[in-house]
Amino acid sequence: MSETMKNYIEEAEKALLHTYNRYQIVLDRGEGVYLYDIDGNKYLDFVSGIAVFALGYNYKDYNDALKEQIDKILHTSNYYYNVPAIEAAKKIKKASGMDRVFFTNSGAEAVEGALKAARKYAFLKDGKTDHEIIAMNHSFHGRTFGALSVTGNPHYREAFEPMIGNIKFADFNDFESVLSCVTDKTCAIIMETVQGEGGIYPATEEFLTKVRALCDEKDILLILDEIQCGMGRTGSMFAWQKFGVKPDIMTTAKALGCGVPVGAFLMTEKVGANSLVAGDHGTTYGGNPLACAAVNKVLDLFNNDNIIENVNNVAPYLEKRLDELKERYDFIVDRRGAGLMQGLVFNRPVADVINMALENGLILINAGTEIIRFVPSLVITKENVDEMVDILDSCLGRL
């Protein structure tokens, strides 16, 4: 490590609030599926900014669209219309089949809006404010108070209690567990279609179908969090589309902007017409022209450059190569996931493996202490998969 990099890291530790244990490199630029640090070292990136950079780095058409918008206008506020927001809303409605859109700055903020919409929907039905929301154990929805309240990991919540009230937790993929939590006060059920931080667990079709039927029967709103698993990552634009189980409210972010901070919550017309109205919700930066220019271009490129087709071509090969590693090493006990959102489950902590991989030019991330998560850019090739497996294999062989 150069003195320059050491100095930058030292300055960061003096200036930045220590809420992350960062890896000891300072990244400088990216090209395709590779990142470079300020010393010029090259890394194959299988994290993509935690499932953000679906198009990889320095994607020319994307960059050009943002540069063009910068020369027009960056911000207007939501008291006025702007063309990028209108176009982005139209395109994401078409991609998702949802009816109403609210653009946010992040995934956590999208979850906040979704929870507010659900509670307002219930309030308008009976005028009461004691409604309950069912969330899933091991889920992760964000760090703000509302999102944290429905995050199913007590460790994340305990220092910040009390959370928002009337939240119950059920077991993911266990319909009877969900059913046991339902009362006449239940207004919403929220879950990730594929749990990310909680261990890369996809929802089963049977579970989603039963929960959807329960929500229909009791007029409970189904909220599906697609912040990490959406935007093509599992092989369809949104993971729920594979099952045909449409939510009442959906959240998205991460790859929606491919690097520009933007999220959204979307809803059906039924919810849109019977929940949030003027004065109920807002955000200064949400839906601004720069963010929505990014959304516009991302959705265009997904269609024009066959991004999802590439996911469906490469993902089975990634699964095959990860399964080979599982068979080779007895300390790897499982491989699970969907599309280009995969996890290798170990019988021991994986921090040493991730650090060793980084030293050998491969960027990986965990999902819990014993799982390596693979969420690469959606433009990766089979050759990139082979390169990743070769590096990881050499690291595992030293354990």
Side-chain angles (χ1 to χ4, degrees), residues 31-230:
E31 188 69 39
V33 296
Y34 295 93
L35 286 167
Y36 298 81
D37 66 25
I38 61 173
D39 289 346
N41 298 308
K42 181 180 179 180
Y43 304 87
L44 175 62
D45 179 22
F46 260 65
V47 176
S48 64
I50 314 180
V52 167
F53 275 90
L55 300 172
Y57 302 97
N58 203 20
Y59 204 99
K60 185 178 186 305
D61 289 347
Y62 172 82
N63 289 2
D64 289 346
L66 293 183
K67 292 172 186 175
E68 182 181 345
Q69 187 60 47
I70 286 171
D71 288 335
K72 290 182 177 180
I73 189 169
L74 294 180
H75 182 69
T76 61
S77 95
N78 281 307
Y79 285 111
Y80 313 97
Y81 300 103
N82 72 78
V83 172
I86 296 166
E87 291 294 322
K90 180 172 66 176
K91 289 173 186 176
I92 196 170
K93 278 178 54 180
K94 182 179 179 182
S96 65
M98 305 296 281
D99 300 309
R100 296 284 174 173
V101 187
F102 186 101
F103 288 111
T104 67
N105 307 301
S106 68
E109 189 186 331
V111 172
E112 296 286 335
L115 298 177
K116 284 180 69 176
R119 287 203 161 165
K120 181 67 183 294
Y121 178 87
F123 173 80
L124 290 176
K125 286 197 300 181
D126 61 17
K128 297 179 180 179
T129 57
D130 59 351
H131 300 102
E132 299 171 346
I133 295 172
I134 299 171
M136 300 296 138
N137 288 317
H138 307 297
S139 61
F140 184 86
H141 296 287
R143 302 285 190 168
T144 49
F145 262 90
L148 196 58
S149 297
V150 293
T151 288
N153 185 332
H155 173 70
Y156 291 144
R157 303 192 308 265
E158 59 189 11
F160 307 103
E161 300 283 359
M163 298 281 101
I164 66 170
N166 294 358
I167 308 296
K168 294 181 176 179
F169 288 96
D171 293 331
F172 191 57
N173 282 331
D174 184 341
F175 179 71
E176 292 303 318
S177 176
V178 173
L179 194 59
S180 70
C181 293
V182 173
T183 71
D184 58 2
K185 296 180 180 180
T186 305
C187 71
I189 298 172
I190 183 170
M191 70 179 83
E192 300 152 277
T193 320
V194 181
Q195 287 192 337
E197 303 288 332
I200 319 295
Y201 286 103
T204 66
E205 183 172 5
E206 179 185 15
F207 179 65
L208 277 181
T209 301
K210 287 183 175 181
V211 171
R212 176 71 271 177
L214 172 68
C215 290
D216 291 339
E217 176 190 345
K218 297 185 177 293
D219 198 22
I220 296 168
L221 299 184
L222 176 60
I223 305 172
L224 291 182
D225 181 337
E226 294 259 347
I227 290 165
Q228 186 169 166
C229 64

